[in-house]
Amino acid sequence: MDGRTDDAATIGVWRGVRIDVAPRDAVSVEVMVASAGVFAHEIGRTRPGGGLGNLDTALGGAITRLRADGIFRAETGDVLTLSAPARPIHATTVLAIGLGDPAVWTPETIRQAVSTAARETIRIEATSAAFAPSLLDSGLDPDGLAGTPDAMLAGLFDALSDAPARMLSRWVFCVGAGRFETVVEVFRASFDRLAAP
Amino acid sequence: MIVDDHPFLREGVKAVIETQEDLAVVAEAESGEQALALYPTHLPDIVLMDLQMPGIGGVDTIAAMRSNWPHARIVVLTTYSGDAQALRALRAGAAGYLLKNTLRKELLDTIRSVHAGGKHLNAQVASSIAFHVIEDALTEREIGVLSLAASGNSNKQIAAKLAVSEETVKGHMKLIFAKLGASDRTHAVTIAAKRGIIEL
């Protein structure tokens, strides 16, 4: 569980943490802590699709059930930790990170979510972790997601700056398999820009 | 604060917590009533709460604690993995639900996560809650009937205690069997106890 999957592409190392992008989801990524963004509701669908849908299914519908019951509202900043999940989930801990109302989503929302996930990962002293934004899975328009890689990296850097990760050595951003090489290049460009001194 | 009627359990949890520099046990209670009396004196950051205790029990204690002190952060620590029990505790305001066979590190992680404002559940308990949602939940009356059956009462005795006809009780039992997927009353009692719908 070092967070490095065969299909992962490394985009850089920052403060001792190797940052990868992988065409995986929170179910299949091989890390200790798999985190996923969850909106308060989906747009144009009754349940999440894609990777977040896979995660919810692998958990027996727990995320959407707890959300419907108000136990996990998925408001911005909400964190639901599910420990010791069963296979097919590879991680030993799943974090559902609230993204709030999808109608008012901005890149800043995802920056805060990644930062929250990273802080929680550092708190529990995991050595590897992943974050799946789940934006398309929740029905957001792909044309409205500009700035997302910058925001996700900035969120990770925020957390690593505030709380040095003594144990964390790998961080994986889970993305869709479509146009993977292009997405990797976008992340690399963001990394080069944001990591520059 | 640790709330559990078993002194050995309290001692064990306390020993785990006190290995941590940033954590301390400020109070112990052996019942819900005692926990409610001690809470305002110590105002603990986290309450570790058993569910099965003599007196008012864990779920009612959680509800009372959250009603009096809405910012109370409570983690259930129980042997019961049943979905109904867990759902009642979470609806009452618990922020965490762990089983007593939880590993030491998970307990400490949960305390810190909940203190930071998060919620923490054992994934299998969470899945169990979701799995049973597709079924019809038992009504309060059906739970009452089944609890009386679990205590060894016949349909006739249940009818007398609830001041209804024996036919009405038979009707309740039929619906209970269907909702729980049980083949007879013993099977229904077993399923309901395992899921935490009734207490034996």
Side-chain angles (χ1 to χ4, degrees), chain A residues 90-125:
Chain A
H90 287 72
T92 54
T93 300
V94 169
L95 300 178
I97 308 292
L99 298 176
D101 182 353
V104 296
W105 179 87
T106 69
E108 182 60 23
T109 311
I110 209 75
R111 176 176 181 157
Q112 288 177 20
V114 172
S115 178
T116 299
R119 286 173 211 277
E120 189 61 24
T121 296
I122 292 166
R123 188 202 322 276
I124 62 179
E125 299 187 325

PDB file of all heavy atoms in Angstrom, chain A residues 90-125:
ATOM      1  N   HIS A  90      -9.656  -1.289  -1.274  1.00  0.00           N
ATOM      2  CA  HIS A  90      -8.288  -1.637  -0.889  1.00  0.00           C
ATOM      3  C   HIS A  90      -7.810  -0.886   0.356  1.00  0.00           C
ATOM      4  O   HIS A  90      -6.977  -1.384   1.090  1.00  0.00           O
ATOM      5  CB  HIS A  90      -7.320  -1.346  -2.044  1.00  0.00           C
ATOM      6  CG  HIS A  90      -7.434  -2.323  -3.168  1.00  0.00           C
ATOM      7  ND1 HIS A  90      -8.508  -2.356  -4.024  1.00  0.00           N
ATOM      8  CD2 HIS A  90      -6.619  -3.321  -3.579  1.00  0.00           C
ATOM      9  CE1 HIS A  90      -8.343  -3.316  -4.918  1.00  0.00           C
ATOM     10  NE2 HIS A  90      -7.206  -3.928  -4.660  1.00  0.00           N
ATOM     11  N   ALA A  91      -8.306   0.320   0.534  1.00  0.00           N
ATOM     12  CA  ALA A  91      -7.824   1.154   1.646  1.00  0.00           C
ATOM     13  C   ALA A  91      -8.303   0.595   2.985  1.00  0.00           C
ATOM     14  O   ALA A  91      -9.314  -0.114   3.055  1.00  0.00           O
ATOM     15  CB  ALA A  91      -8.327   2.585   1.471  1.00  0.00           C
ATOM     16  N   THR A  92      -7.591   0.944   4.044  1.00  0.00           N
ATOM     17  CA  THR A  92      -8.015   0.524   5.384  1.00  0.00           C
ATOM     18  C   THR A  92      -8.963   1.552   6.011  1.00  0.00           C
ATOM     19  O   THR A  92      -9.630   1.257   6.990  1.00  0.00           O
ATOM     20  CB  THR A  92      -6.804   0.336   6.311  1.00  0.00           C
ATOM     21  OG1 THR A  92      -6.029   1.535   6.303  1.00  0.00           O
ATOM     22  CG2 THR A  92      -5.938  -0.815   5.834  1.00  0.00           C
ATOM     23  N   THR A  93      -8.999   2.747   5.435  1.00  0.00           N
ATOM     24  CA  THR A  93      -9.903   3.791   5.929  1.00  0.00           C
ATOM     25  C   THR A  93     -10.448   4.576   4.733  1.00  0.00           C
ATOM     26  O   THR A  93      -9.706   4.883   3.802  1.00  0.00           O
ATOM     27  CB  THR A  93      -9.143   4.763   6.867  1.00  0.00           C
ATOM     28  OG1 THR A  93      -8.626   4.036   7.972  1.00  0.00           O
ATOM     29  CG2 THR A  93     -10.052   5.872   7.368  1.00  0.00           C
ATOM     30  N   VAL A  94     -11.738   4.867   4.782  1.00  0.00           N
ATOM     31  CA  VAL A  94     -12.360   5.708   3.750  1.00  0.00           C
ATOM     32  C   VAL A  94     -12.798   7.020   4.398  1.00  0.00           C
ATOM     33  O   VAL A  94     -13.401   7.016   5.479  1.00  0.00           O
ATOM     34  CB  VAL A  94     -13.593   5.003   3.132  1.00  0.00           C
ATOM     35  CG1 VAL A  94     -14.388   5.972   2.255  1.00  0.00           C
ATOM     36  CG2 VAL A  94     -13.160   3.784   2.319  1.00  0.00           C
ATOM     37  N   LEU A  95     -12.474   8.128   3.744  1.00  0.00           N
ATOM     38  CA  LEU A  95     -12.948   9.437   4.204  1.00  0.00           C
ATOM     39  C   LEU A  95     -13.911  10.005   3.169  1.00  0.00           C
ATOM     40  O   LEU A  95     -13.554  10.125   1.999  1.00  0.00           O
ATOM     41  CB  LEU A  95     -11.787  10.431   4.350  1.00  0.00           C
ATOM     42  CG  LEU A  95     -10.649  10.109   5.305  1.00  0.00           C
ATOM     43  CD1 LEU A  95      -9.607  11.237   5.231  1.00  0.00           C
ATOM     44  CD2 LEU A  95     -11.153   9.944   6.718  1.00  0.00           C
ATOM     45  N   ALA A  96     -15.122  10.326   3.592  1.00  0.00           N
ATOM     46  CA  ALA A  96     -16.052  11.052   2.731  1.00  0.00           C
ATOM     47  C   ALA A  96     -15.975  12.517   3.150  1.00  0.00           C
ATOM     48  O   ALA A  96     -16.179  12.837   4.326  1.00  0.00           O
ATOM     49  CB  ALA A  96     -17.463  10.515   2.891  1.00  0.00           C
ATOM     50  N   ILE A  97     -15.648  13.372   2.202  1.00  0.00           N
ATOM     51  CA  ILE A  97     -15.427  14.792   2.517  1.00  0.00           C
ATOM     52  C   ILE A  97     -16.569  15.611   1.903  1.00  0.00           C
ATOM     53  O   ILE A  97     -16.783  15.571   0.684  1.00  0.00           O
ATOM     54  CB  ILE A  97     -14.086  15.290   1.926  1.00  0.00           C
ATOM     55  CG1 ILE A  97     -12.926  14.358   2.338  1.00  0.00           C
ATOM     56  CG2 ILE A  97     -13.821  16.728   2.331  1.00  0.00           C
ATOM     57  CD1 ILE A  97     -12.573  14.361   3.792  1.00  0.00           C
ATOM     58  N   GLY A  98     -17.285  16.339   2.722  1.00  0.00           N
ATOM     59  CA  GLY A  98     -18.426  17.114   2.248  1.00  0.00           C
ATOM     60  C   GLY A  98     -18.019  18.241   1.310  1.00  0.00           C
ATOM     61  O   GLY A  98     -17.047  18.957   1.569  1.00  0.00           O
ATOM     62  N   LEU A  99     -18.775  18.383   0.216  1.00  0.00           N
ATOM     63  CA  LEU A  99     -18.528  19.459  -0.758  1.00  0.00           C
ATOM     64  C   LEU A  99     -19.669  20.467  -0.801  1.00  0.00           C
ATOM     65  O   LEU A  99     -19.626  21.422  -1.580  1.00  0.00           O
ATOM     66  CB  LEU A  99     -18.322  18.860  -2.163  1.00  0.00           C
ATOM     67  CG  LEU A  99     -17.125  17.919  -2.357  1.00  0.00           C
ATOM     68  CD1 LEU A  99     -17.124  17.345  -3.769  1.00  0.00           C
ATOM     69  CD2 LEU A  99     -15.815  18.635  -2.069  1.00  0.00           C
ATOM     70  N   GLY A 100     -20.718  20.228  -0.002  1.00  0.00           N
ATOM     71  CA  GLY A 100     -21.818  21.187   0.059  1.00  0.00           C
ATOM     72  C   GLY A 100     -22.735  21.128  -1.155  1.00  0.00           C
ATOM     73  O   GLY A 100     -22.871  20.100  -1.811  1.00  0.00           O
ATOM     74  N   ASP A 101     -23.337  22.262  -1.453  1.00  0.00           N
ATOM     75  CA  ASP A 101     -24.323  22.366  -2.533  1.00  0.00           C
ATOM     76  C   ASP A 101     -23.599  22.426  -3.880  1.00  0.00           C
ATOM     77  O   ASP A 101     -22.808  23.345  -4.117  1.00  0.00           O
ATOM     78  CB  ASP A 101     -25.143  23.647  -2.297  1.00  0.00           C
ATOM     79  CG  ASP A 101     -26.241  23.828  -3.327  1.00  0.00           C
ATOM     80  OD1 ASP A 101     -26.297  23.050  -4.300  1.00  0.00           O
ATOM     81  OD2 ASP A 101     -27.041  24.768  -3.149  1.00  0.00           O
ATOM     82  N   PRO A 102     -23.888  21.502  -4.798  1.00  0.00           N
ATOM     83  CA  PRO A 102     -23.181  21.526  -6.088  1.00  0.00           C
ATOM     84  C   PRO A 102     -23.496  22.764  -6.921  1.00  0.00           C
ATOM     85  O   PRO A 102     -22.700  23.160  -7.781  1.00  0.00           O
ATOM     86  CB  PRO A 102     -23.668  20.248  -6.782  1.00  0.00           C
ATOM     87  CG  PRO A 102     -24.955  19.898  -6.118  1.00  0.00           C
ATOM     88  CD  PRO A 102     -24.829  20.378  -4.701  1.00  0.00           C
ATOM     89  N   ALA A 103     -24.629  23.402  -6.644  1.00  0.00           N
ATOM     90  CA  ALA A 103     -25.011  24.577  -7.429  1.00  0.00           C
ATOM     91  C   ALA A 103     -24.084  25.760  -7.182  1.00  0.00           C
ATOM     92  O   ALA A 103     -24.002  26.673  -8.018  1.00  0.00           O
ATOM     93  CB  ALA A 103     -26.450  24.970  -7.100  1.00  0.00           C
ATOM     94  N   VAL A 104     -23.409  25.769  -6.041  1.00  0.00           N
ATOM     95  CA  VAL A 104     -22.528  26.914  -5.732  1.00  0.00           C
ATOM     96  C   VAL A 104     -21.063  26.475  -5.693  1.00  0.00           C
ATOM     97  O   VAL A 104     -20.215  27.155  -5.120  1.00  0.00           O
ATOM     98  CB  VAL A 104     -22.929  27.587  -4.398  1.00  0.00           C
ATOM     99  CG1 VAL A 104     -24.322  28.179  -4.508  1.00  0.00           C
ATOM    100  CG2 VAL A 104     -22.870  26.609  -3.225  1.00  0.00           C
ATOM    101  N   TRP A 105     -20.787  25.357  -6.344  1.00  0.00           N
ATOM    102  CA  TRP A 105     -19.419  24.837  -6.335  1.00  0.00           C
ATOM    103  C   TRP A 105     -18.438  25.804  -7.015  1.00  0.00           C
ATOM    104  O   TRP A 105     -18.756  26.412  -8.043  1.00  0.00           O
ATOM    105  CB  TRP A 105     -19.368  23.503  -7.081  1.00  0.00           C
ATOM    106  CG  TRP A 105     -17.995  22.923  -7.139  1.00  0.00           C
ATOM    107  CD1 TRP A 105     -17.410  22.130  -6.211  1.00  0.00           C
ATOM    108  CD2 TRP A 105     -17.015  23.115  -8.175  1.00  0.00           C
ATOM    109  NE1 TRP A 105     -16.121  21.812  -6.591  1.00  0.00           N
ATOM    110  CE2 TRP A 105     -15.850  22.407  -7.790  1.00  0.00           C
ATOM    111  CE3 TRP A 105     -16.996  23.825  -9.366  1.00  0.00           C
ATOM    112  CZ2 TRP A 105     -14.706  22.368  -8.573  1.00  0.00           C
ATOM    113  CZ3 TRP A 105     -15.837  23.796 -10.143  1.00  0.00           C
ATOM    114  CH2 TRP A 105     -14.703  23.076  -9.747  1.00  0.00           C
ATOM    115  N   THR A 106     -17.245  25.939  -6.420  1.00  0.00           N
ATOM    116  CA  THR A 106     -16.148  26.670  -7.065  1.00  0.00           C
ATOM    117  C   THR A 106     -14.875  25.872  -6.823  1.00  0.00           C
ATOM    118  O   THR A 106     -14.851  24.984  -5.952  1.00  0.00           O
ATOM    119  CB  THR A 106     -15.957  28.074  -6.462  1.00  0.00           C
ATOM    120  OG1 THR A 106     -15.455  27.930  -5.120  1.00  0.00           O
ATOM    121  CG2 THR A 106     -17.247  28.889  -6.451  1.00  0.00           C
ATOM    122  N   PRO A 107     -13.806  26.145  -7.546  1.00  0.00           N
ATOM    123  CA  PRO A 107     -12.543  25.446  -7.263  1.00  0.00           C
ATOM    124  C   PRO A 107     -12.103  25.583  -5.801  1.00  0.00           C
ATOM    125  O   PRO A 107     -11.458  24.682  -5.256  1.00  0.00           O
ATOM    126  CB  PRO A 107     -11.548  26.105  -8.227  1.00  0.00           C
ATOM    127  CG  PRO A 107     -12.389  26.523  -9.389  1.00  0.00           C
ATOM    128  CD  PRO A 107     -13.693  26.975  -8.772  1.00  0.00           C
ATOM    129  N   GLU A 108     -12.459  26.683  -5.151  1.00  0.00           N
ATOM    130  CA  GLU A 108     -12.099  26.863  -3.749  1.00  0.00           C
ATOM    131  C   GLU A 108     -12.711  25.759  -2.875  1.00  0.00           C
ATOM    132  O   GLU A 108     -12.120  25.351  -1.865  1.00  0.00           O
ATOM    133  CB  GLU A 108     -12.557  28.251  -3.263  1.00  0.00           C
ATOM    134  CG  GLU A 108     -12.196  28.584  -1.825  1.00  0.00           C
ATOM    135  CD  GLU A 108     -10.687  28.581  -1.536  1.00  0.00           C
ATOM    136  OE1 GLU A 108      -9.892  28.752  -2.478  1.00  0.00           O
ATOM    137  OE2 GLU A 108     -10.324  28.384  -0.356  1.00  0.00           O
ATOM    138  N   THR A 109     -13.883  25.272  -3.274  1.00  0.00           N
ATOM    139  CA  THR A 109     -14.529  24.195  -2.535  1.00  0.00           C
ATOM    140  C   THR A 109     -13.641  22.952  -2.524  1.00  0.00           C
ATOM    141  O   THR A 109     -13.446  22.305  -1.489  1.00  0.00           O
ATOM    142  CB  THR A 109     -15.883  23.825  -3.198  1.00  0.00           C
ATOM    143  OG1 THR A 109     -16.634  25.004  -3.440  1.00  0.00           O
ATOM    144  CG2 THR A 109     -16.671  22.871  -2.326  1.00  0.00           C
ATOM    145  N   ILE A 110     -13.098  22.636  -3.682  1.00  0.00           N
ATOM    146  CA  ILE A 110     -12.288  21.415  -3.787  1.00  0.00           C
ATOM    147  C   ILE A 110     -10.928  21.630  -3.110  1.00  0.00           C
ATOM    148  O   ILE A 110     -10.348  20.705  -2.548  1.00  0.00           O
ATOM    149  CB  ILE A 110     -12.148  20.972  -5.263  1.00  0.00           C
ATOM    150  CG1 ILE A 110     -11.973  19.440  -5.330  1.00  0.00           C
ATOM    151  CG2 ILE A 110     -11.020  21.629  -5.992  1.00  0.00           C
ATOM    152  CD1 ILE A 110     -13.212  18.667  -5.101  1.00  0.00           C
ATOM    153  N   ARG A 111     -10.444  22.857  -3.137  1.00  0.00           N
ATOM    154  CA  ARG A 111      -9.187  23.160  -2.425  1.00  0.00           C
ATOM    155  C   ARG A 111      -9.360  22.871  -0.930  1.00  0.00           C
ATOM    156  O   ARG A 111      -8.534  22.205  -0.312  1.00  0.00           O
ATOM    157  CB  ARG A 111      -8.807  24.627  -2.648  1.00  0.00           C
ATOM    158  CG  ARG A 111      -7.573  25.044  -1.871  1.00  0.00           C
ATOM    159  CD  ARG A 111      -7.177  26.481  -2.188  1.00  0.00           C
ATOM    160  NE  ARG A 111      -5.965  26.882  -1.461  1.00  0.00           N
ATOM    161  CZ  ARG A 111      -5.165  27.859  -1.851  1.00  0.00           C
ATOM    162  NH1 ARG A 111      -5.427  28.537  -2.937  1.00  0.00           N
ATOM    163  NH2 ARG A 111      -4.085  28.161  -1.149  1.00  0.00           N
ATOM    164  N   GLN A 112     -10.470  23.349  -0.377  1.00  0.00           N
ATOM    165  CA  GLN A 112     -10.719  23.117   1.046  1.00  0.00           C
ATOM    166  C   GLN A 112     -10.921  21.630   1.341  1.00  0.00           C
ATOM    167  O   GLN A 112     -10.487  21.121   2.369  1.00  0.00           O
ATOM    168  CB  GLN A 112     -11.957  23.893   1.489  1.00  0.00           C
ATOM    169  CG  GLN A 112     -11.720  25.393   1.567  1.00  0.00           C
ATOM    170  CD  GLN A 112     -12.998  26.148   1.938  1.00  0.00           C
ATOM    171  OE1 GLN A 112     -13.944  25.580   2.475  1.00  0.00           O
ATOM    172  NE2 GLN A 112     -13.020  27.421   1.634  1.00  0.00           N
ATOM    173  N   ALA A 113     -11.582  20.927   0.412  1.00  0.00           N
ATOM    174  CA  ALA A 113     -11.853  19.505   0.638  1.00  0.00           C
ATOM    175  C   ALA A 113     -10.564  18.696   0.647  1.00  0.00           C
ATOM    176  O   ALA A 113     -10.368  17.820   1.511  1.00  0.00           O
ATOM    177  CB  ALA A 113     -12.799  18.974  -0.434  1.00  0.00           C
ATOM    178  N   VAL A 114      -9.677  18.980  -0.306  1.00  0.00           N
ATOM    179  CA  VAL A 114      -8.393  18.258  -0.339  1.00  0.00           C
ATOM    180  C   VAL A 114      -7.588  18.581   0.913  1.00  0.00           C
ATOM    181  O   VAL A 114      -6.980  17.697   1.528  1.00  0.00           O
ATOM    182  CB  VAL A 114      -7.592  18.614  -1.609  1.00  0.00           C
ATOM    183  CG1 VAL A 114      -6.189  18.015  -1.539  1.00  0.00           C
ATOM    184  CG2 VAL A 114      -8.313  18.111  -2.854  1.00  0.00           C
ATOM    185  N   SER A 115      -7.610  19.844   1.297  1.00  0.00           N
ATOM    186  CA  SER A 115      -6.891  20.241   2.501  1.00  0.00           C
ATOM    187  C   SER A 115      -7.430  19.494   3.725  1.00  0.00           C
ATOM    188  O   SER A 115      -6.662  18.987   4.551  1.00  0.00           O
ATOM    189  CB  SER A 115      -7.020  21.754   2.684  1.00  0.00           C
ATOM    190  OG  SER A 115      -6.374  22.152   3.869  1.00  0.00           O
ATOM    191  N   THR A 116      -8.741  19.404   3.822  1.00  0.00           N
ATOM    192  CA  THR A 116      -9.363  18.688   4.944  1.00  0.00           C
ATOM    193  C   THR A 116      -8.964  17.209   4.927  1.00  0.00           C
ATOM    194  O   THR A 116      -8.607  16.631   5.967  1.00  0.00           O
ATOM    195  CB  THR A 116     -10.899  18.809   4.859  1.00  0.00           C
ATOM    196  OG1 THR A 116     -11.253  20.198   4.936  1.00  0.00           O
ATOM    197  CG2 THR A 116     -11.588  18.045   5.979  1.00  0.00           C
ATOM    198  N   ALA A 117      -9.027  16.590   3.743  1.00  0.00           N
ATOM    199  CA  ALA A 117      -8.662  15.172   3.631  1.00  0.00           C
ATOM    200  C   ALA A 117      -7.205  14.956   4.014  1.00  0.00           C
ATOM    201  O   ALA A 117      -6.864  13.997   4.722  1.00  0.00           O
ATOM    202  CB  ALA A 117      -8.924  14.687   2.208  1.00  0.00           C
ATOM    203  N   ALA A 118      -6.340  15.849   3.560  1.00  0.00           N
ATOM    204  CA  ALA A 118      -4.913  15.701   3.860  1.00  0.00           C
ATOM    205  C   ALA A 118      -4.631  15.897   5.350  1.00  0.00           C
ATOM    206  O   ALA A 118      -3.837  15.168   5.950  1.00  0.00           O
ATOM    207  CB  ALA A 118      -4.104  16.691   3.030  1.00  0.00           C
ATOM    208  N   ARG A 119      -5.288  16.865   5.955  1.00  0.00           N
ATOM    209  CA  ARG A 119      -5.087  17.088   7.400  1.00  0.00           C
ATOM    210  C   ARG A 119      -5.518  15.859   8.199  1.00  0.00           C
ATOM    211  O   ARG A 119      -4.863  15.469   9.167  1.00  0.00           O
ATOM    212  CB  ARG A 119      -5.871  18.319   7.863  1.00  0.00           C
ATOM    213  CG  ARG A 119      -5.278  19.628   7.429  1.00  0.00           C
ATOM    214  CD  ARG A 119      -6.193  20.809   7.784  1.00  0.00           C
ATOM    215  NE  ARG A 119      -6.055  21.877   6.825  1.00  0.00           N
ATOM    216  CZ  ARG A 119      -5.103  22.805   6.845  1.00  0.00           C
ATOM    217  NH1 ARG A 119      -4.229  22.795   7.804  1.00  0.00           N
ATOM    218  NH2 ARG A 119      -5.047  23.745   5.923  1.00  0.00           N
ATOM    219  N   GLU A 120      -6.655  15.277   7.807  1.00  0.00           N
ATOM    220  CA  GLU A 120      -7.133  14.092   8.515  1.00  0.00           C
ATOM    221  C   GLU A 120      -6.172  12.919   8.290  1.00  0.00           C
ATOM    222  O   GLU A 120      -5.897  12.148   9.210  1.00  0.00           O
ATOM    223  CB  GLU A 120      -8.548  13.742   8.032  1.00  0.00           C
ATOM    224  CG  GLU A 120      -9.249  12.665   8.845  1.00  0.00           C
ATOM    225  CD  GLU A 120      -9.449  13.042  10.306  1.00  0.00           C
ATOM    226  OE1 GLU A 120      -9.479  14.232  10.642  1.00  0.00           O
ATOM    227  OE2 GLU A 120      -9.537  12.098  11.124  1.00  0.00           O
ATOM    228  N   THR A 121      -5.670  12.797   7.085  1.00  0.00           N
ATOM    229  CA  THR A 121      -4.705  11.729   6.768  1.00  0.00           C
ATOM    230  C   THR A 121      -3.441  11.884   7.611  1.00  0.00           C
ATOM    231  O   THR A 121      -2.910  10.906   8.148  1.00  0.00           O
ATOM    232  CB  THR A 121      -4.352  11.791   5.270  1.00  0.00           C
ATOM    233  OG1 THR A 121      -5.534  11.520   4.518  1.00  0.00           O
ATOM    234  CG2 THR A 121      -3.296  10.769   4.923  1.00  0.00           C
ATOM    235  N   ILE A 122      -2.974  13.115   7.727  1.00  0.00           N
ATOM    236  CA  ILE A 122      -1.770  13.377   8.531  1.00  0.00           C
ATOM    237  C   ILE A 122      -2.060  13.086   9.995  1.00  0.00           C
ATOM    238  O   ILE A 122      -1.256  12.484  10.699  1.00  0.00           O
ATOM    239  CB  ILE A 122      -1.312  14.840   8.333  1.00  0.00           C
ATOM    240  CG1 ILE A 122      -0.798  15.034   6.902  1.00  0.00           C
ATOM    241  CG2 ILE A 122      -0.242  15.218   9.354  1.00  0.00           C
ATOM    242  CD1 ILE A 122      -0.629  16.487   6.489  1.00  0.00           C
ATOM    243  N   ARG A 123      -3.259  13.452  10.459  1.00  0.00           N
ATOM    244  CA  ARG A 123      -3.618  13.234  11.864  1.00  0.00           C
ATOM    245  C   ARG A 123      -3.576  11.745  12.224  1.00  0.00           C
ATOM    246  O   ARG A 123      -3.119  11.374  13.306  1.00  0.00           O
ATOM    247  CB  ARG A 123      -5.017  13.779  12.122  1.00  0.00           C
ATOM    248  CG  ARG A 123      -5.410  13.787  13.596  1.00  0.00           C
ATOM    249  CD  ARG A 123      -6.910  13.817  13.838  1.00  0.00           C
ATOM    250  NE  ARG A 123      -7.657  14.633  12.918  1.00  0.00           N
ATOM    251  CZ  ARG A 123      -7.842  15.939  13.029  1.00  0.00           C
ATOM    252  NH1 ARG A 123      -7.307  16.578  14.037  1.00  0.00           N
ATOM    253  NH2 ARG A 123      -8.562  16.588  12.144  1.00  0.00           N
ATOM    254  N   ILE A 124      -4.030  10.897  11.302  1.00  0.00           N
ATOM    255  CA  ILE A 124      -4.057   9.473  11.644  1.00  0.00           C
ATOM    256  C   ILE A 124      -2.775   8.753  11.213  1.00  0.00           C
ATOM    257  O   ILE A 124      -2.683   7.540  11.278  1.00  0.00           O
ATOM    258  CB  ILE A 124      -5.309   8.767  11.079  1.00  0.00           C
ATOM    259  CG1 ILE A 124      -5.351   8.827   9.553  1.00  0.00           C
ATOM    260  CG2 ILE A 124      -6.567   9.392  11.643  1.00  0.00           C
ATOM    261  CD1 ILE A 124      -6.581   8.114   8.981  1.00  0.00           C
ATOM    262  N   GLU A 125      -1.803   9.538  10.796  1.00  0.00           N
ATOM    263  CA  GLU A 125      -0.459   9.042  10.496  1.00  0.00           C
ATOM    264  C   GLU A 125      -0.448   7.945   9.451  1.00  0.00           C
ATOM    265  O   GLU A 125       0.257   6.943   9.577  1.00  0.00           O
ATOM    266  CB  GLU A 125       0.221   8.587  11.796  1.00  0.00           C
ATOM    267  CG  GLU A 125       0.371   9.723  12.800  1.00  0.00           C
ATOM    268  CD  GLU A 125       1.194   9.346  14.010  1.00  0.00           C
ATOM    269  OE1 GLU A 125       1.090   8.187  14.430  1.00  0.00           O
ATOM    270  OE2 GLU A 125       1.921  10.213  14.510  1.00  0.00           O
TER     271      GLU A 125
END
